[in-house]
Amino acid sequence: MVISSVPSKAEEKITPEPRLKKLEPVLLPGEIVVNEVNFVRKCIATDTSQYDLWGKLVCSNFKISFITDDPMPLQKFHYRNLLLGEHDVALTCIEQIVTVNDTKRKQKVLGPNQKLKFNPTELIIYCKDFRIVRFRFDEAGPESAKKVCLAIAHYSQPADLQLLFAFEYVGKKYHNPAKKVNGIDPGGGGGGGGGGITSSPQTPLFETYSDWDREIKRTGASEWRVCSVNEGYMISTCLPEYFVVPSSLADQDLKHYSHAFTGRRMPMWCWNHSNGSALVRMANIKDPLQQRKIDQRICNAITRSHPQRSDVYKSDLDKSLPAIQDVQAAFLKLKQLCVNEPFEETEEKWLSLVENSRWLEHVRLFLKHAAELVYMLDSKHVSVVLQEEEGRDLSCCVASLVQVMLDPFFRTIAGFQSLIQKEWVMAGYPFLDRCNHLKKSDKESPLFLMFLDCVWQLLEQYPSAFEFSEAYLTILYDSTRISLFGTFLFNSPHQRVKQSTEFAISKNIQLGDEKGLKFPSVWDWSLQHAPRDRMLFHNPLYIGKSTPCVHNGAVKSFKRSKKNYSSTLRGFPPSLKNGIISEQDFLPRRNSLILKLKPDFLQHTDSNASGTEQYFREWFSKPVDLHGVILPRLSGTQIKLWKLCYFRWVPEAQIASGGFITAFRKISLLADEVDALNRSLRQHNSGPRFLANNPERDQSRMYFRADEANDVLASPECLSSSFPFSPVGNLCRRSILGTPLSKFLSGAKIWLSTETLANED
């Protein structure tokens, strides 16, 4: 994964070592080189070879690396992920491997343990993040080129979960406990919750009783309790060991009722509103004879946990939302449009093609349904139960969106990470199957990406309400494709414990009192990014609960009133009057990436508006309270395509010296200048004692800094709309109609094929 950023000043040139010594990969603990080939050419442009790079192609048990002495052309800035170099691709990020022989006009999709009957002259790697990487073997040894292609195919499609790199990495750590990675202990802790600020609290992993108990107290859910009935996963293997249930439900009742639920997934508390309403999720009751009795018992217990004894509202997500297969089908169509289709051929019908993919329609449906449940919790004061067949797919997305809209804590970096840990990782979202890490799941579906896309829509509409940036969301999505973090590797906490315990026994690792191996957490961002680069996670537009200011030498907090929030509304059409948008504003701008969709919450008149519509109408008529409820705008002008995530590798879609990053930079400079002035005022009024007691206060929290504003390397000319990513050398677009990828994206899963596929003219 290549992430570009403003570089440090050029270093003095050092006399290079002999070429063969220098072209060696940087390996992590447990990482080994399995094959390599010299004199490989990496293709940079589609229409010329003058920018191509020469070097060595290496396959390890973690990644493929292209190592070169040549500088990257056409690129003014870059920096390396601490785990993945500039030209590296993690094996779990590889979608498909295609070998080509120009002379014989043949190409083949390589699977594991397959034979290659021709010597490849070209290797094309199609990545899950929409990248396409091409290598040429014109000067390389033909047998060496063939072997490295077969090695990449074999190691990118492991036959067993324990063959994923995370197991070797953690195993090496247990055998060498003093070994550090990037200067950091690669343990299994939660990592910095604040995206890299050293004083930030760790992200709670919700693996312990105390983490759940703290969340109960934070939300004021006094009528709920932490249940330990599933300790040792004795009841359900797809629930965490500890979860929250109504206080009136005894452990014995839970054990008795558990057999009636699919996967024994009993009702699991998610969150409590300050009015006492609760958000709960559960699987379907599979026994029709006991369904009514158990359902009534559960609802009564939830009702008794409400201070007003309010009714329970049940939402059947399987009937209200697209199935995971529909989400996957929409994603494949979107991917085909962004990767496969030449823009010059689809420009005139591009908007209709986006609409036909139905991806944005699905985004809109998830946001709409979550907003309707916000109404039930916030306005009707009733508890909501999310019901789904297994209770571990759609409910993860909906429960998380509801909490993001209702609770400002989950719009901070620390809160958002705890939300994902609570509602996705510990709640048993099957990351292994849905991300298809082993390349053999027929249940692959990008539901986690759907959630991040929905959050991005809210961030785009209410930028001052979120502490994190869209770069943070994009990098978080990329982290699901790195087979190092235990966070996104397993189908459930039980699977992590079971598989890692078996691995530990096979490797003679002594676990002691630990429940399985401790894998690195994705929330330990220091493993991936340097402190300066982690500052890209911070949103300079974010308005915290209070802003410190200096008055007569004393530091005080300035509380913003509701009327102050009106200035934070961004991106609304000029005809917005009390939340009402006129019809012409639903029309998309020419060449925009916005679809024309009918509004939902604003389309009816007051005379026939239901309670739901009235709630939304009243909410949109008031200034936004950034630390209260936020609701999505669902009109065609507001639901957009997440360009940074989907278009960052497409050269034709880049805006040189433009895009949102230019505004982001200017706002960051202003915010940094204000912070610097505040620090100066505090130092002036408090003297040297202030800096001695507050050393961290002298550090900037912005990536772009006012004292570097005149630096040529930090100028807008170094930026583009894909920042902090760079498409140079990562997408070599050429027509692939009729090729394996084209057929795969159209629905034919021929990546499982063992046949040699000839080009179709």
Side-chain angles (χ1 to χ4, degrees), residues 517-531:
L517 298 172
K518 293 293 183 184
F519 293 89
S521 170
V522 74
W523 314 128
D524 190 354
W525 291 107
S526 59
L527 291 175
Q528 290 196 69
H529 305 288

Side-chain angles (χ1 to χ4, degrees), residues 326-549:
D326 296 331
V327 175
Q328 171 72 353
F331 178 70
L332 290 178
K333 290 180 180 178
L334 176 66
K335 191 171 186 178
Q336 182 175 11
L337 186 58
C338 295
V339 175
N340 196 21
E341 302 290 350
F343 283 111
E344 60 272 13
E345 296 178 15
T346 60
E347 184 178 6
E348 293 183 358
K349 53 183 179 178
W350 207 90
L351 288 175
S352 61
L353 290 172
V354 173
E355 183 177 13
N356 291 338
S357 76
R358 303 204 67 192
W359 178 259
L360 291 183
E361 177 64 15
H362 291 340
V363 169
R364 182 172 169 272
L365 287 173
F366 275 94
L367 286 169
K368 180 176 182 289
H369 191 72
E372 290 168 349
L373 298 180
V374 166
Y375 161 72
M376 301 304 297
L377 289 158
D378 186 55
S379 180
K380 298 293 286 183
H381 296 190
V382 299
S383 294
V384 171
V385 175
L386 305 177
Q387 196 156 359
E388 185 187 4
E389 178 62 32
E390 295 186 7
R392 54 192 303 200
D393 278 301
L394 302 175
S395 57
C396 295
C397 187
V398 174
S400 300
L401 287 175
V402 169
Q403 292 172 72
V404 167
M405 293 179 193
L406 282 169
D407 193 337
F409 172 66
F410 294 126
R411 302 196 285 268
T412 66
I413 293 176
F416 189 70
Q417 293 179 173
S418 71
L419 177 69
I420 293 173
Q421 191 69 32
K422 175 169 66 84
E423 298 297 342
W424 294 81
V425 180
M426 296 310 295
Y429 177 73
F431 279 103
L432 180 67
D433 291 342
R434 299 298 179 260
C435 296
N436 202 11
H437 290 316
L438 300 183
K439 311 291 195 302
K440 54 187 177 184
S441 171
D442 59 354
K443 297 180 180 178
E444 181 177 2
S445 183
L447 207 57
F448 186 64
L449 174 62
M450 172 64 67
F451 164 65
L452 295 179
D453 198 321
C454 290
V455 173
W456 177 81
Q457 303 289 339
L458 294 170
L459 169 63
E460 179 75 5
Q461 295 177 24
Y462 306 104
S464 298
F466 290 84
E467 184 184 18
F468 48 83
S469 64
E470 70 168 326
Y472 168 82
L473 292 174
T474 310
I475 292 170
L476 176 59
Y477 171 61
D478 288 341
S479 299
T480 64
R481 307 297 186 188
I482 300 177
S483 60
L484 177 69
F485 307 108
T487 313
F488 303 129
L489 213 57
F490 302 98
N491 284 335
S492 66
H494 170 262
Q495 187 184 51
R496 176 185 63 81
V497 172
K498 181 176 181 292
Q499 291 284 336
S500 63
T501 301
E502 291 176 357
F503 180 81
I505 293 172
S506 69
K507 298 295 183 180
N508 198 26
I509 298 173
Q510 301 299 319
L511 292 175
D513 295 332
E514 293 182 6
K515 296 178 180 179
L517 298 172
K518 293 293 183 184
F519 293 89
S521 170
V522 74
W523 314 128
D524 190 354
W525 291 107
S526 59
L527 291 175
Q528 290 196 69
H529 305 288
R532 174 68 182 269
D533 296 314
R534 295 199 295 273
M535 292 178 183
L536 277 171
F537 294 176
H538 292 273
N539 173 15
L541 288 165
Y542 176 64
I543 298 177
K545 285 189 176 180
S546 61
T547 301
C549 63

Side-chain angles (χ1 to χ4, degrees), residues 285-352:
I285 300 173
K286 59 183 180 180
D287 188 345
L289 298 177
Q290 299 187 53
Q291 182 173 6
R292 184 171 181 180
K293 174 187 173 183
I294 296 175
D295 200 47
Q296 190 63 45
R297 178 72 179 91
I298 297 298
C299 289
N300 287 341
I302 296 173
T303 296
R304 281 196 292 270
S305 298
H306 196 294
Q308 280 82 44
R309 302 295 188 264
S310 295
D311 292 334
V312 173
Y313 176 81
K314 294 182 68 175
S315 173
D316 189 336
L317 301 182
D318 291 321
K319 294 180 179 178
S320 306
L321 293 170
I324 61 171
Q325 296 86 353
D326 296 331
V327 175
Q328 171 72 353
F331 178 70
L332 290 178
K333 290 180 180 178
L334 176 66
K335 191 171 186 178
Q336 182 175 11
L337 186 58
C338 295
V339 175
N340 196 21
E341 302 290 350
F343 283 111
E344 60 272 13
E345 296 178 15
T346 60
E347 184 178 6
E348 293 183 358
K349 53 183 179 178
W350 207 90
L351 288 175
S352 61

